[in-house]
Amino acid sequence: MSVGHDKPRRIRDPERTRERLLQAAFREVYRYGFQSAGIDAILAATNVTKGALYHHFESKEALGCAIIEEVIATFPRDRWLLPLQRSQDKDPIDALISVVRGIPARPSDIRGGCPLVNLAQEMSQLDEQFRKRLAKIFGGWQEGVAQTLRRGQYQGSVRRDLVAEETASFLIAMVEGYEVLAKNAQDPKVWHLGIRNIVGWLNSLRAPRRSRRRGPGLMSKGRAVQQRRRFRRRRN
Amino acid sequence: MSVGHDKPRRIRDPERTRERLLQAAFREVYRYGFQSAGIDAILAATNVTKGALYHHFESKEALGCAIIEEVIATFPRDRWLLPLQRSQDKDPIDALISVVRGIPARPSDIRGGCPLVNLAQEMSQLDEQFRKRLAKIFGGWQEGVAQTLRRGQYQGSVRRDLVAEETASFLIAMVEGYEVLAKNAQDPKVWHLGIRNIVGWLNSLRAPRRSRRRGPGLMSKGRAVQQRRRFRRRRN
């Protein structure tokens, strides 16, 4: 801001500082968990003062909530929801298979596991604020997958005896379960085996050819509403 | 030990003290994770001195290893491996279904989640000793389920196109995935929905009736060996 200075000075950019703190905090939490994440380690990684950190995030808890909403929430959105929205012209099962195959499986991803599962496992029992925010992410993820399945049911390419929400939660459980196994094995092969199994299961959701030939529109809006009611009843 | 004392004294029982420490440490780790588990909280819960704790467990790490091997390892063994061994006269898929339905789902189980997943998620990247011990538990669990499936394949009641080890790891991923979702939801309904989905999937592993009628012995030992080789090749 100060113009006419001889020495070059670092220009203050509060937004950038906040973003750097957020990313460093995410990396620290991703590795050690929220409770063991060190504020000092985050400050050292960013070269920011404690005062500046607490200016941007009033507490460690507030920093944790920002990590969930601004970093972790982007993973299901960018890897699942946006690609599924963009492939409305594709066969829904093909779209889901391509999303599952596209989940990053670099050695660092396998080592660290799924950030959403890490934090959900650690904090769901301990902090209701965290739990609810993470549950919202799981809920949005499930709804995006369920919408894709419903589109397939409407078009006749996905089995109509399935309850879309239930099947979506089953897919998410499979993906998260294999993330757990692969992280414990610290071995991408476990993850690749998982993808193959999940893809095989996804293929089993396709409608048999005969009912597919009958074409779209066979599941009426009334049938879909009925199915969702059945799902809600079963949960309650 | 001192006899002839007037005042009644607590008799020292090192084995019992060790067991009480272990159980209290397990509960503390189950709730807060290993890194955040407080030694002081464990001492307070057991009324044991720090010296006595370090007499039984030379470090916090040694205590963690004992928790894995003496407490956590009992869960897959008591809930999966022993019941499966005891039901050799039962249809293997029925046996697996009954094991899945028998997984405890008390509110406290749902709140705390699966102790094996909790610790594997937290520590697999951070501590190679812990990771290997936990991987051994997952491995034994997988092998027990795979044996059950192979028995079914041999008898003709389980589909022979399945690779038993792969299918076993898929089942474990589903179970652990739903444990994660139910813990995040803090809601047993999510778990019950999971059981229903997993049972449906287990039913899909049954051999079609025709091949079942051909009776046992159709999968030769050679075929079984071939299949296991195929599994190993795929992993490598």
Side-chain angles (χ1 to χ4, degrees), chain A residues 118 121 183 189 235, chain B residues 32 118 121 183 189 235:
Chain A
N118 289 357
Q121 276 301 105
K183 179 171 181 176
K189 277 180 232 134
R235 287 201 57 183
Chain B
Y32 298 104
N118 289 357
Q121 276 300 106
K183 179 172 181 176
K189 278 180 231 137
R235 286 201 59 184

Side-chain angles (χ1 to χ4, degrees), chain A residues 60-170:
Chain A
K60 194 181 173 190
E61 165 120 8
L63 179 58
C65 289
I67 290 174
I68 296 173
E69 297 196 330
E70 298 175 48
V71 186
I72 294 181
T74 63
F75 299 129
R77 195 183 64 208
D78 295 349
R79 294 173 187 175
W80 287 76
L81 305 183
L82 295 179
L84 289 177
Q85 273 170 24
R86 272 189 230 111
S87 54
Q88 300 272 349
D89 54 334
K90 224 173 153 177
D91 173 86
I93 297 294
D94 289 345
L96 286 167
I97 288 175
S98 123
V99 162
V100 168
R101 287 208 172 117
I103 297 173
R106 295 159 295 198
S108 61
D109 298 310
I110 302 298
R111 270 201 305 274
C114 171
L116 180 56
V117 173
N118 289 357
L119 210 52
Q121 276 301 105
E122 182 192 359
M123 298 303 294
S124 291
Q125 189 184 7
L126 300 177
D127 189 308
E128 187 62 10
Q129 287 298 313
F130 282 16
R131 188 191 75 71
K132 279 187 186 158
R133 284 177 164 83
L134 294 162
K136 209 176 143 193
I137 299 178
F138 277 117
W141 183 3
Q142 180 184 309
E143 183 47 30
V145 174
Q147 270 174 16
T148 305
L149 292 170
R150 279 197 295 269
R151 179 165 67 82
Q153 290 181 314
Y154 178 77
Q155 292 168 349
S157 60
V158 170
R159 279 165 43 199
R160 283 170 179 153
D161 60 319
L162 303 173
V163 180
E165 289 84 353
E166 264 185 48
T167 309
S169 84
F170 201 12

Side-chain angles (χ1 to χ4, degrees), chain A residues 12-41:
Chain A
R12 276 211 218 157
D13 181 345
E15 271 315 297
R16 219 188 133 242
T17 304
R18 187 181 182 284
E19 183 59 28
R20 283 171 50 230
L21 282 166
L22 195 61
Q23 292 299 334
F26 166 71
R27 284 191 298 272
E28 175 77 6
V29 169
Y30 183 43
R31 186 166 171 88
Y32 298 104
F34 177 75
Q35 298 171 91
S36 300
I39 293 292
D40 288 339

